[in-house]
Amino acid sequence: MNRKKSVWGKRAFIAGFIILTSLCWCPWAYGHITGRTLAIPTWAVGAYICAAALFVLEWVFLFISGLAISDEELPGVLRDLEAVGRDEATGGEGE
Amino acid sequence: MFNQKIAILTGICLGSVLISYAAYRRGKGKSADDYFVAGSSLGYFVLIFSLLASFLSAFAMLGMSSMGYRMGFGSLFVLTVNLVPLGFLWYFMHRKTFLIGRTRKWMSMGAPFGERYGTTMRTIIPVIVLVASIPYLVAQVRGIGIMINTMSDFEIPYEAGLFFAPAFIALYLILGGMKGAAWVNTVQGVFFTVMVFILFFAVMNKHGGFAATMDEVALRHPDLFALGAKGGKLWSYPMIFGFSAAMCLGSVCFPQPYMHAYSSSSAKGFKVMIFVFGAICVVVISMTTMIGIAGRLFEPDLTKLTADEIYSRTADATLPPWGAALAVAGAFTAATTTVIGVVFGNASNIANDLYKLVKPQATAKQLVMLGRICIGAIMAVCIALAWNPNIPIAELAIIAFGIMAVTVFPLWGAYYWKRATRFGAIAGTLAGVGMNLTFIVLGVVSGTGVKSMLLTPQDFLLNLNGFLVSFIVAGVVFFGVSLITPLGETEKKSLELFFHPSLD
């Protein structure tokens, strides 16, 4: 159940990331706005607002949501990965 | 003749050498791991400023102020708001780089590709990184030449200035390795961030404050505040998207995030590093862009190439001589730290990916020695290419990022798509880079120009620019070829590690 919840939680974050990224990469929703706000173009203010919203979403995902890797989990993950035999992989530096 | 500005600059360079050497000597040993990835020991403060400094460059300082000067506020989509997605993109694309890299002792960018796709891909990646890095490095070396030239009040020729920083860079890289470079990057990163703030406020203050300055620029140059200027061609949506995507995805694929993921000592350090990077870029590079926009009030008639001097010229016009020297030294350190990051990443790739294939039993001492030789050779090539400039710094750097961006597909496939094959990875990468190089040749042969062909939407490309077309082709070829080719033994064996349940 928890795993299912985290998968959906992750998907929700990814959907948010994609929408806000599209707004940070192209002003399709606000580029038509003319005039100036705070002395700079109003569309530039729109871009900054989208960037700020994405920044907040990233902060929640990385540090609040519990969905991103933490230092508590790190030793266990590294131990699991080290258990995967070196001879299982080829072409890498471990060879 | 004694020149105060050059004396300040020389002092900063010598200080960098000392910091680098001291940092390296503090390390426990001189193993290849210590030299190339700092023994995975860097805390998050060093990581943040080291990554920041290794990316923020002559491009971010001189290039973006030049671009702001020439093209206005649309430049915010080149290196500011468009980089905020790096917070999650780096997380998703390099989380496994960080985790598996720690386990497998990866030290180069080719390592994950080699382990997932085999030796051919591991050989191709360092060559492509090197090809893509050259225009970026040339941009830095060119920026350094311009700064030395303007800081010496044109007493030191541009060509002589090209040798100034590379000599120092080679010296402290040879002495210090990654641990030294990281500490130098950190100190210089803090320094140039502070200097950008000081110059920004000085420039705006000169014309009665930020709002008054922007009002004046808007009155004289309304095009700088508009999207779709020049008949809809400048900052059209396809152009904005092409720049934004190329720069952001190129940032994912450049060597610096790989090397810093390997160097991170904790998960928190890794997350803080990738999170803070975009925010600092938005603040610092918005300032350099707006310094360039305000520069129209100081120097209204600079040409495409001389606009690269607007950062130095506004510093001269608004600060006392020693203050201007420190402000430009901030840009200078930004350029040198980026050269460090990129040259070091390439040297590491060549030593660990290419040389180790030829000589698997190479000792740590031999690898470090080869790394040092590579640093010297790369610097020499960049100086030669920067000798006769014809493309502005910003555009040179964007070309580099656009070429690198095509490797995002095999990287994503390595970590998230079990069906990705080595044939798909090789074909997609070669198709993308091949298309970019074709557009470069086409730009020269047709007289359209390399810059226009790659960066400006072209009618014959359905109003897309060369980069975007190359990127799309790379993706289509990667997915198509992967789907029609079988998984080889290497790919099958790598799945257990790359898709281990603990990585979910």
Side-chain angles (χ1 to χ4, degrees), chain B residues 441-486:
Chain B
V441 173
L442 206 59
V444 174
V445 173
S446 68
T448 310
V450 173
K451 189 188 88 172
S452 296
M453 187 61 76
L454 288 174
L455 305 179
T456 311
Q458 300 290 324
D459 292 338
F460 78 99
L461 297 175
L462 304 174
N463 213 24
L464 300 176
N465 63 22
F467 275 143
L468 217 45
V469 171
S470 305
F471 185 75
I472 293 166
V473 168
V476 169
V477 171
F478 170 72
F479 287 110
V481 174
S482 287
L483 286 172
I484 59 171
T485 52

mmCIF file of all heavy atoms in Angstrom, chain B residues 441-486:
data_model
loop_
_atom_site.group_PDB
_atom_site.id
_atom_site.type_symbol
_atom_site.label_atom_id
_atom_site.label_comp_id
_atom_site.label_asym_id
_atom_site.label_seq_id
_atom_site.Cartn_x
_atom_site.Cartn_y
_atom_site.Cartn_z
ATOM 1 N N VAL B 441 28.955 22.237 -40.656
ATOM 2 C CA VAL B 441 29.558 22.289 -42.004
ATOM 3 C C VAL B 441 28.628 23.029 -42.963
ATOM 4 O O VAL B 441 29.066 23.891 -43.734
ATOM 5 C CB VAL B 441 29.833 20.847 -42.515
ATOM 6 C CG1 VAL B 441 30.288 20.861 -43.965
ATOM 7 C CG2 VAL B 441 30.875 20.162 -41.633
ATOM 8 N N LEU B 442 27.326 22.732 -42.878
ATOM 9 C CA LEU B 442 26.342 23.381 -43.740
ATOM 10 C C LEU B 442 26.335 24.897 -43.521
ATOM 11 O O LEU B 442 26.236 25.679 -44.478
ATOM 12 C CB LEU B 442 24.951 22.801 -43.427
ATOM 13 C CG LEU B 442 23.896 22.835 -44.521
ATOM 14 C CD1 LEU B 442 24.367 22.066 -45.750
ATOM 15 C CD2 LEU B 442 22.589 22.219 -44.003
ATOM 16 N N GLY B 443 26.468 25.280 -42.246
ATOM 17 C CA GLY B 443 26.511 26.709 -41.925
ATOM 18 C C GLY B 443 27.685 27.395 -42.574
ATOM 19 O O GLY B 443 27.574 28.524 -43.073
ATOM 20 N N VAL B 444 28.836 26.710 -42.586
ATOM 21 C CA VAL B 444 30.049 27.293 -43.197
ATOM 22 C C VAL B 444 29.908 27.317 -44.717
ATOM 23 O O VAL B 444 30.119 28.347 -45.360
ATOM 24 C CB VAL B 444 31.300 26.468 -42.788
ATOM 25 C CG1 VAL B 444 32.535 26.965 -43.528
ATOM 26 C CG2 VAL B 444 31.517 26.545 -41.279
ATOM 27 N N VAL B 445 29.503 26.177 -45.290
ATOM 28 C CA VAL B 445 29.451 26.044 -46.753
ATOM 29 C C VAL B 445 28.384 26.962 -47.359
ATOM 30 O O VAL B 445 28.622 27.621 -48.372
ATOM 31 C CB VAL B 445 29.164 24.563 -47.142
ATOM 32 C CG1 VAL B 445 28.924 24.426 -48.637
ATOM 33 C CG2 VAL B 445 30.323 23.688 -46.708
ATOM 34 N N SER B 446 27.214 27.025 -46.718
ATOM 35 C CA SER B 446 26.119 27.811 -47.309
ATOM 36 C C SER B 446 26.262 29.307 -47.052
ATOM 37 O O SER B 446 25.536 30.109 -47.644
ATOM 38 C CB SER B 446 24.781 27.331 -46.724
ATOM 39 O OG SER B 446 24.714 27.671 -45.347
ATOM 40 N N GLY B 447 27.162 29.667 -46.159
ATOM 41 C CA GLY B 447 27.319 31.089 -45.826
ATOM 42 C C GLY B 447 26.304 31.557 -44.789
ATOM 43 O O GLY B 447 26.296 32.724 -44.399
ATOM 44 N N THR B 448 25.443 30.664 -44.320
ATOM 45 C CA THR B 448 24.455 31.038 -43.293
ATOM 46 C C THR B 448 25.148 31.327 -41.965
ATOM 47 O O THR B 448 24.676 32.133 -41.169
ATOM 48 C CB THR B 448 23.430 29.882 -43.087
ATOM 49 O OG1 THR B 448 22.951 29.487 -44.368
ATOM 50 C CG2 THR B 448 22.281 30.298 -42.213
ATOM 51 N N GLY B 449 26.254 30.650 -41.728
ATOM 52 C CA GLY B 449 26.980 30.815 -40.465
ATOM 53 C C GLY B 449 26.638 29.699 -39.493
ATOM 54 O O GLY B 449 25.484 29.264 -39.427
ATOM 55 N N VAL B 450 27.661 29.246 -38.771
ATOM 56 C CA VAL B 450 27.474 28.148 -37.814
ATOM 57 C C VAL B 450 26.457 28.535 -36.751
ATOM 58 O O VAL B 450 25.537 27.781 -36.413
ATOM 59 C CB VAL B 450 28.829 27.784 -37.156
ATOM 60 C CG1 VAL B 450 28.625 26.775 -36.035
ATOM 61 C CG2 VAL B 450 29.795 27.247 -38.193
ATOM 62 N N LYS B 451 26.605 29.742 -36.244
ATOM 63 C CA LYS B 451 25.746 30.205 -35.161
ATOM 64 C C LYS B 451 24.284 30.224 -35.598
ATOM 65 O O LYS B 451 23.406 29.700 -34.907
ATOM 66 C CB LYS B 451 26.197 31.610 -34.746
ATOM 67 C CG LYS B 451 25.558 32.141 -33.501
ATOM 68 C CD LYS B 451 25.895 33.584 -33.280
ATOM 69 C CE LYS B 451 24.889 34.453 -34.006
ATOM 70 N NZ LYS B 451 24.996 35.876 -33.728
ATOM 71 N N SER B 452 24.018 30.801 -36.768
ATOM 72 C CA SER B 452 22.634 30.888 -37.243
ATOM 73 C C SER B 452 22.053 29.510 -37.507
ATOM 74 O O SER B 452 20.904 29.226 -37.166
ATOM 75 C CB SER B 452 22.561 31.707 -38.540
ATOM 76 O OG SER B 452 22.958 33.009 -38.289
ATOM 77 N N MET B 453 22.867 28.645 -38.122
ATOM 78 C CA MET B 453 22.366 27.322 -38.487
ATOM 79 C C MET B 453 21.970 26.527 -37.243
ATOM 80 O O MET B 453 20.962 25.832 -37.223
ATOM 81 C CB MET B 453 23.451 26.581 -39.282
ATOM 82 C CG MET B 453 23.016 25.266 -39.873
ATOM 83 S SD MET B 453 21.661 25.413 -41.042
ATOM 84 C CE MET B 453 22.482 26.045 -42.480
ATOM 85 N N LEU B 454 22.770 26.628 -36.195
ATOM 86 C CA LEU B 454 22.506 25.826 -35.005
ATOM 87 C C LEU B 454 21.498 26.467 -34.056
ATOM 88 O O LEU B 454 20.759 25.778 -33.370
ATOM 89 C CB LEU B 454 23.807 25.554 -34.246
ATOM 90 C CG LEU B 454 24.777 24.572 -34.902
ATOM 91 C CD1 LEU B 454 26.080 24.523 -34.122
ATOM 92 C CD2 LEU B 454 24.182 23.186 -34.992
ATOM 93 N N LEU B 455 21.494 27.799 -33.992
ATOM 94 C CA LEU B 455 20.714 28.457 -32.945
ATOM 95 C C LEU B 455 19.453 29.161 -33.431
ATOM 96 O O LEU B 455 18.522 29.360 -32.652
ATOM 97 C CB LEU B 455 21.597 29.482 -32.201
ATOM 98 C CG LEU B 455 22.903 28.957 -31.599
ATOM 99 C CD1 LEU B 455 23.671 30.077 -30.927
ATOM 100 C CD2 LEU B 455 22.615 27.861 -30.603
ATOM 101 N N THR B 456 19.425 29.560 -34.685
ATOM 102 C CA THR B 456 18.274 30.324 -35.180
ATOM 103 C C THR B 456 17.315 29.399 -35.941
ATOM 104 O O THR B 456 17.777 28.584 -36.736
ATOM 105 C CB THR B 456 18.762 31.448 -36.130
ATOM 106 O OG1 THR B 456 19.822 32.157 -35.480
ATOM 107 C CG2 THR B 456 17.642 32.406 -36.462
ATOM 108 N N PRO B 457 16.009 29.527 -35.693
ATOM 109 C CA PRO B 457 15.065 28.697 -36.446
ATOM 110 C C PRO B 457 15.238 28.877 -37.949
ATOM 111 O O PRO B 457 15.387 30.000 -38.433
ATOM 112 C CB PRO B 457 13.705 29.225 -35.972
ATOM 113 C CG PRO B 457 13.962 29.796 -34.624
ATOM 114 C CD PRO B 457 15.337 30.359 -34.673
ATOM 115 N N GLN B 458 15.257 27.746 -38.665
ATOM 116 C CA GLN B 458 15.453 27.782 -40.122
ATOM 117 C C GLN B 458 14.169 27.320 -40.819
ATOM 118 O O GLN B 458 13.547 26.350 -40.394
ATOM 119 C CB GLN B 458 16.605 26.837 -40.510
ATOM 120 C CG GLN B 458 17.944 27.170 -39.880
ATOM 121 C CD GLN B 458 18.548 28.451 -40.450
ATOM 122 O OE1 GLN B 458 18.418 28.741 -41.639
ATOM 123 N NE2 GLN B 458 19.187 29.229 -39.593
ATOM 124 N N ASP B 459 13.833 28.001 -41.912
ATOM 125 C CA ASP B 459 12.614 27.630 -42.646
ATOM 126 C C ASP B 459 12.671 26.184 -43.120
ATOM 127 O O ASP B 459 11.681 25.448 -43.015
ATOM 128 C CB ASP B 459 12.429 28.567 -43.852
ATOM 129 C CG ASP B 459 12.098 29.981 -43.390
ATOM 130 O OD1 ASP B 459 11.614 30.114 -42.239
ATOM 131 O OD2 ASP B 459 12.350 30.930 -44.152
ATOM 132 N N PHE B 460 13.844 25.749 -43.635
ATOM 133 C CA PHE B 460 13.912 24.393 -44.192
ATOM 134 C C PHE B 460 13.909 23.308 -43.101
ATOM 135 O O PHE B 460 13.805 22.124 -43.397
ATOM 136 C CB PHE B 460 15.136 24.238 -45.111
ATOM 137 C CG PHE B 460 16.446 24.055 -44.397
ATOM 138 C CD1 PHE B 460 16.985 22.789 -44.251
ATOM 139 C CD2 PHE B 460 17.134 25.126 -43.866
ATOM 140 C CE1 PHE B 460 18.193 22.595 -43.586
ATOM 141 C CE2 PHE B 460 18.336 24.950 -43.197
ATOM 142 C CZ PHE B 460 18.868 23.692 -43.053
ATOM 143 N N LEU B 461 13.986 23.713 -41.834
ATOM 144 C CA LEU B 461 13.904 22.762 -40.715
ATOM 145 C C LEU B 461 12.564 22.909 -39.974
ATOM 146 O O LEU B 461 12.481 22.679 -38.757
ATOM 147 C CB LEU B 461 15.061 22.985 -39.738
ATOM 148 C CG LEU B 461 16.477 22.748 -40.274
ATOM 149 C CD1 LEU B 461 17.526 23.136 -39.225
ATOM 150 C CD2 LEU B 461 16.679 21.296 -40.677
ATOM 151 N N LEU B 462 11.548 23.310 -40.703
ATOM 152 C CA LEU B 462 10.203 23.503 -40.126
ATOM 153 C C LEU B 462 10.228 24.501 -38.979
ATOM 154 O O LEU B 462 9.581 24.317 -37.942
ATOM 155 C CB LEU B 462 9.624 22.157 -39.641
ATOM 156 C CG LEU B 462 9.548 21.040 -40.681
ATOM 157 C CD1 LEU B 462 9.111 19.725 -40.036
ATOM 158 C CD2 LEU B 462 8.587 21.421 -41.806
ATOM 159 N N ASN B 463 10.999 25.541 -39.175
ATOM 160 C CA ASN B 463 11.112 26.623 -38.194
ATOM 161 C C ASN B 463 11.727 26.184 -36.860
ATOM 162 O O ASN B 463 11.486 26.791 -35.817
ATOM 163 C CB ASN B 463 9.744 27.281 -37.950
ATOM 164 C CG ASN B 463 9.890 28.755 -37.648
ATOM 165 O OD1 ASN B 463 10.892 29.368 -38.037
ATOM 166 N ND2 ASN B 463 8.936 29.322 -36.947
ATOM 167 N N LEU B 464 12.500 25.103 -36.881
ATOM 168 C CA LEU B 464 13.262 24.697 -35.690
ATOM 169 C C LEU B 464 14.727 25.057 -35.938
ATOM 170 O O LEU B 464 15.132 25.276 -37.083
ATOM 171 C CB LEU B 464 13.140 23.188 -35.466
ATOM 172 C CG LEU B 464 11.729 22.649 -35.238
ATOM 173 C CD1 LEU B 464 11.757 21.130 -35.124
ATOM 174 C CD2 LEU B 464 11.116 23.244 -33.967
ATOM 175 N N ASN B 465 15.518 25.091 -34.857
ATOM 176 C CA ASN B 465 16.946 25.325 -35.084
ATOM 177 C C ASN B 465 17.684 23.985 -35.199
ATOM 178 O O ASN B 465 17.127 22.921 -34.903
ATOM 179 C CB ASN B 465 17.554 26.235 -34.003
ATOM 180 C CG ASN B 465 17.505 25.640 -32.616
ATOM 181 O OD1 ASN B 465 17.404 24.426 -32.458
ATOM 182 N ND2 ASN B 465 17.588 26.478 -31.604
ATOM 183 N N GLY B 466 18.931 24.050 -35.639
ATOM 184 C CA GLY B 466 19.706 22.840 -35.904
ATOM 185 C C GLY B 466 19.824 21.937 -34.684
ATOM 186 O O GLY B 466 19.777 20.717 -34.789
ATOM 187 N N PHE B 467 19.981 22.543 -33.526
ATOM 188 C CA PHE B 467 20.117 21.759 -32.293
ATOM 189 C C PHE B 467 18.898 20.908 -32.015
ATOM 190 O O PHE B 467 18.989 19.734 -31.688
ATOM 191 C CB PHE B 467 20.304 22.689 -31.099
ATOM 192 C CG PHE B 467 21.703 23.088 -30.907
ATOM 193 C CD1 PHE B 467 22.015 24.355 -30.480
ATOM 194 C CD2 PHE B 467 22.738 22.203 -31.167
ATOM 195 C CE1 PHE B 467 23.317 24.741 -30.310
ATOM 196 C CE2 PHE B 467 24.042 22.582 -30.990
ATOM 197 C CZ PHE B 467 24.330 23.855 -30.569
ATOM 198 N N LEU B 468 17.737 21.576 -32.118
ATOM 199 C CA LEU B 468 16.504 20.882 -31.785
ATOM 200 C C LEU B 468 16.282 19.708 -32.737
ATOM 201 O O LEU B 468 15.881 18.611 -32.306
ATOM 202 C CB LEU B 468 15.332 21.876 -31.859
ATOM 203 C CG LEU B 468 14.231 21.732 -30.823
ATOM 204 C CD1 LEU B 468 14.781 21.518 -29.439
ATOM 205 C CD2 LEU B 468 13.314 22.953 -30.851
ATOM 206 N N VAL B 469 16.584 19.933 -34.009
ATOM 207 C CA VAL B 469 16.422 18.865 -34.997
ATOM 208 C C VAL B 469 17.379 17.713 -34.666
ATOM 209 O O VAL B 469 16.981 16.532 -34.661
ATOM 210 C CB VAL B 469 16.681 19.396 -36.427
ATOM 211 C CG1 VAL B 469 16.723 18.260 -37.434
ATOM 212 C CG2 VAL B 469 15.603 20.403 -36.802
ATOM 213 N N SER B 470 18.640 18.031 -34.350
ATOM 214 C CA SER B 470 19.619 16.991 -34.008
ATOM 215 C C SER B 470 19.169 16.218 -32.772
ATOM 216 O O SER B 470 19.296 14.993 -32.691
ATOM 217 C CB SER B 470 20.992 17.609 -33.721
ATOM 218 O OG SER B 470 21.401 18.395 -34.791
ATOM 219 N N PHE B 471 18.633 16.950 -31.811
ATOM 220 C CA PHE B 471 18.185 16.341 -30.559
ATOM 221 C C PHE B 471 17.031 15.374 -30.819
ATOM 222 O O PHE B 471 17.034 14.235 -30.319
ATOM 223 C CB PHE B 471 17.753 17.462 -29.597
ATOM 224 C CG PHE B 471 17.374 16.979 -28.235
ATOM 225 C CD1 PHE B 471 18.348 16.575 -27.336
ATOM 226 C CD2 PHE B 471 16.045 16.927 -27.845
ATOM 227 C CE1 PHE B 471 17.999 16.125 -26.067
ATOM 228 C CE2 PHE B 471 15.691 16.489 -26.587
ATOM 229 C CZ PHE B 471 16.669 16.086 -25.698
ATOM 230 N N ILE B 472 16.071 15.824 -31.617
ATOM 231 C CA ILE B 472 14.913 14.973 -31.916
ATOM 232 C C ILE B 472 15.362 13.722 -32.674
ATOM 233 O O ILE B 472 14.946 12.593 -32.361
ATOM 234 C CB ILE B 472 13.853 15.768 -32.721
ATOM 235 C CG1 ILE B 472 13.255 16.865 -31.837
ATOM 236 C CG2 ILE B 472 12.759 14.849 -33.252
ATOM 237 C CD1 ILE B 472 12.452 17.914 -32.576
ATOM 238 N N VAL B 473 16.255 13.910 -33.652
ATOM 239 C CA VAL B 473 16.743 12.768 -34.437
ATOM 240 C C VAL B 473 17.476 11.772 -33.522
ATOM 241 O O VAL B 473 17.278 10.554 -33.619
ATOM 242 C CB VAL B 473 17.682 13.252 -35.569
ATOM 243 C CG1 VAL B 473 18.437 12.084 -36.200
ATOM 244 C CG2 VAL B 473 16.873 13.984 -36.635
ATOM 245 N N ALA B 474 18.290 12.296 -32.599
ATOM 246 C CA ALA B 474 19.027 11.417 -31.675
ATOM 247 C C ALA B 474 18.057 10.556 -30.865
ATOM 248 O O ALA B 474 18.267 9.349 -30.680
ATOM 249 C CB ALA B 474 19.899 12.248 -30.734
ATOM 250 N N GLY B 475 16.972 11.174 -30.398
ATOM 251 C CA GLY B 475 15.981 10.441 -29.608
ATOM 252 C C GLY B 475 15.257 9.389 -30.424
ATOM 253 O O GLY B 475 15.103 8.242 -29.993
ATOM 254 N N VAL B 476 14.836 9.773 -31.623
ATOM 255 C CA VAL B 476 14.099 8.833 -32.486
ATOM 256 C C VAL B 476 14.985 7.632 -32.825
ATOM 257 O O VAL B 476 14.560 6.472 -32.751
ATOM 258 C CB VAL B 476 13.622 9.556 -33.773
ATOM 259 C CG1 VAL B 476 13.097 8.552 -34.792
ATOM 260 C CG2 VAL B 476 12.540 10.576 -33.438
ATOM 261 N N VAL B 477 16.243 7.896 -33.179
ATOM 262 C CA VAL B 477 17.162 6.803 -33.543
ATOM 263 C C VAL B 477 17.427 5.913 -32.324
ATOM 264 O O VAL B 477 17.430 4.679 -32.439
ATOM 265 C CB VAL B 477 18.481 7.379 -34.114
ATOM 266 C CG1 VAL B 477 19.513 6.273 -34.294
ATOM 267 C CG2 VAL B 477 18.224 8.078 -35.438
ATOM 268 N N PHE B 478 17.628 6.512 -31.164
ATOM 269 C CA PHE B 478 17.891 5.735 -29.949
ATOM 270 C C PHE B 478 16.742 4.766 -29.660
ATOM 271 O O PHE B 478 16.959 3.563 -29.476
ATOM 272 C CB PHE B 478 18.120 6.673 -28.758
ATOM 273 C CG PHE B 478 18.150 5.965 -27.431
ATOM 274 C CD1 PHE B 478 19.237 5.170 -27.075
ATOM 275 C CD2 PHE B 478 17.094 6.074 -26.534
ATOM 276 C CE1 PHE B 478 19.262 4.498 -25.857
ATOM 277 C CE2 PHE B 478 17.118 5.412 -25.317
ATOM 278 C CZ PHE B 478 18.201 4.622 -24.978
ATOM 279 N N PHE B 479 15.530 5.296 -29.636
ATOM 280 C CA PHE B 479 14.384 4.438 -29.316
ATOM 281 C C PHE B 479 14.131 3.425 -30.429
ATOM 282 O O PHE B 479 13.889 2.250 -30.163
ATOM 283 C CB PHE B 479 13.123 5.286 -29.070
ATOM 284 C CG PHE B 479 13.174 6.010 -27.758
ATOM 285 C CD1 PHE B 479 13.330 7.385 -27.699
ATOM 286 C CD2 PHE B 479 13.088 5.310 -26.557
ATOM 287 C CE1 PHE B 479 13.396 8.055 -26.486
ATOM 288 C CE2 PHE B 479 13.143 5.968 -25.337
ATOM 289 C CZ PHE B 479 13.309 7.345 -25.306
ATOM 290 N N GLY B 480 14.190 3.882 -31.682
ATOM 291 C CA GLY B 480 13.910 2.994 -32.814
ATOM 292 C C GLY B 480 14.886 1.837 -32.878
ATOM 293 O O GLY B 480 14.487 0.668 -32.950
ATOM 294 N N VAL B 481 16.175 2.154 -32.838
ATOM 295 C CA VAL B 481 17.192 1.096 -32.967
ATOM 296 C C VAL B 481 17.154 0.167 -31.751
ATOM 297 O O VAL B 481 17.314 -1.053 -31.886
ATOM 298 C CB VAL B 481 18.600 1.714 -33.161
ATOM 299 C CG1 VAL B 481 19.671 0.632 -33.156
ATOM 300 C CG2 VAL B 481 18.662 2.501 -34.461
ATOM 301 N N SER B 482 16.914 0.720 -30.565
ATOM 302 C CA SER B 482 16.835 -0.143 -29.365
ATOM 303 C C SER B 482 15.701 -1.149 -29.492
ATOM 304 O O SER B 482 15.833 -2.310 -29.088
ATOM 305 C CB SER B 482 16.623 0.705 -28.107
ATOM 306 O OG SER B 482 17.791 1.393 -27.769
ATOM 307 N N LEU B 483 14.589 -0.697 -30.053
ATOM 308 C CA LEU B 483 13.424 -1.585 -30.158
ATOM 309 C C LEU B 483 13.622 -2.706 -31.175
ATOM 310 O O LEU B 483 13.053 -3.790 -31.016
ATOM 311 C CB LEU B 483 12.175 -0.767 -30.523
ATOM 312 C CG LEU B 483 11.596 0.077 -29.382
ATOM 313 C CD1 LEU B 483 10.497 0.996 -29.885
ATOM 314 C CD2 LEU B 483 11.065 -0.805 -28.248
ATOM 315 N N ILE B 484 14.435 -2.460 -32.204
ATOM 316 C CA ILE B 484 14.580 -3.503 -33.239
ATOM 317 C C ILE B 484 15.855 -4.329 -33.079
ATOM 318 O O ILE B 484 16.093 -5.242 -33.854
ATOM 319 C CB ILE B 484 14.530 -2.892 -34.665
ATOM 320 C CG1 ILE B 484 15.656 -1.864 -34.849
ATOM 321 C CG2 ILE B 484 13.167 -2.290 -34.970
ATOM 322 C CD1 ILE B 484 15.820 -1.387 -36.278
ATOM 323 N N THR B 485 16.669 -4.014 -32.085
ATOM 324 C CA THR B 485 17.884 -4.818 -31.877
ATOM 325 C C THR B 485 17.782 -5.584 -30.549
ATOM 326 O O THR B 485 17.160 -5.098 -29.594
ATOM 327 C CB THR B 485 19.153 -3.934 -31.854
ATOM 328 O OG1 THR B 485 18.972 -2.863 -30.925
ATOM 329 C CG2 THR B 485 19.446 -3.365 -33.231
ATOM 330 N N PRO B 486 18.392 -6.756 -30.493
ATOM 331 C CA PRO B 486 18.282 -7.556 -29.261
ATOM 332 C C PRO B 486 19.244 -7.061 -28.175
ATOM 333 O O PRO B 486 20.261 -6.424 -28.482
ATOM 334 C CB PRO B 486 18.698 -8.952 -29.731
ATOM 335 C CG PRO B 486 19.613 -8.695 -30.891
ATOM 336 C CD PRO B 486 19.155 -7.430 -31.541
#
